Amino acid sequence: MDYGVSTNAHQLIDILIIDDDRPTCDFLSTLLTAARYTVLDTQRGSNALALIQHYQPRLVMIDIHMPDWHGLEFAQYLSMQTEFPPPAIILMSAKPLPSAVANQTWAYVEKPFDIRSLLQQIDRLLHLPAAHNPRWIWHGT
């Protein structure tokens, strides 16, 4: 299957981004690649499960509002999987924290992102020292 992924099939993946907004996927992919993570992205939840099974990313960033699979339901489904080790999960939305997420082990980030805070949260979830990220300033919009 072709998911529009431009990575080596034997490469380990740190982060999978699932967001139906192409500019958001592009922004996060650029940001996280610059921060030395290996990244895949998809705009469809239906593609994401196959990517997760194949690449077994350590972290999955899921937009809550997707047209083909609600992000919260996808996170719940992913957390219950026994076929592969469950990845860490970050849910994303432009709206404040939903009450259904408050009692979960998942992280939550509100759009627009605070870049420094987002990178620190990802490092924490992946158990990386803060020194993992190079000192650089994002000049994007």
Side-chain angles (χ1 to χ4, degrees):
M1 281 184 199
D2 180 16
Y3 297 104
V5 174
S6 59
T7 188
N8 183 333
H10 302 290
Q11 184 179 18
L12 296 177
I13 301 303
D14 293 317
I15 301 170
L16 173 64
I17 301 162
I18 310 167
D19 196 311
D20 61 323
D21 182 59
R22 178 80 272 170
T24 299
C25 284
D26 292 344
F27 168 76
L28 287 171
S29 292
T30 300
L31 173 70
L32 297 172
T33 299
R36 300 185 184 154
Y37 291 107
T38 53
V39 180
L40 289 175
D41 67 66
T42 184
Q43 292 179 269
R44 301 193 52 79
S46 54
N47 293 345
L49 193 54
L51 290 170
I52 291 166
Q53 289 171 334
H54 181 78
Y55 291 101
Q56 296 187 359
R58 298 171 50 213
L59 172 71
V60 178
M61 298 180 70
I62 308 167
D63 182 33
I64 287 183
H65 304 287
M66 294 186 295
D68 68 329
W69 198 332
H70 191 277
L72 185 57
E73 292 172 2
F74 188 87
Q76 291 168 334
Y77 178 81
L78 192 57
S79 296
M80 296 185 325
Q81 284 301 305
T82 58
E83 297 174 35
F84 47 84
I89 295 172
I90 294 179
L91 290 170
M92 307 176 290
S93 179
K95 297 181 181 178
L97 176 73
S99 59
V101 177
N103 295 324
Q104 300 294 333
T105 58
W106 313 317
Y108 182 80
V109 294
E110 193 170 332
K111 298 174 184 177
F113 305 108
D114 174 287
I115 296 168
R116 188 174 309 248
S117 175
L118 176 64
L119 290 172
Q120 288 172 346
Q121 193 163 18
I122 290 170
D123 285 347
R124 182 183 57 79
L125 288 170
L126 296 179
H127 308 291
L128 297 173
H132 170 78
N133 286 319
R135 295 192 184 278
W136 55 277
I137 299 172
W138 178 259
H139 294 286
T141 56

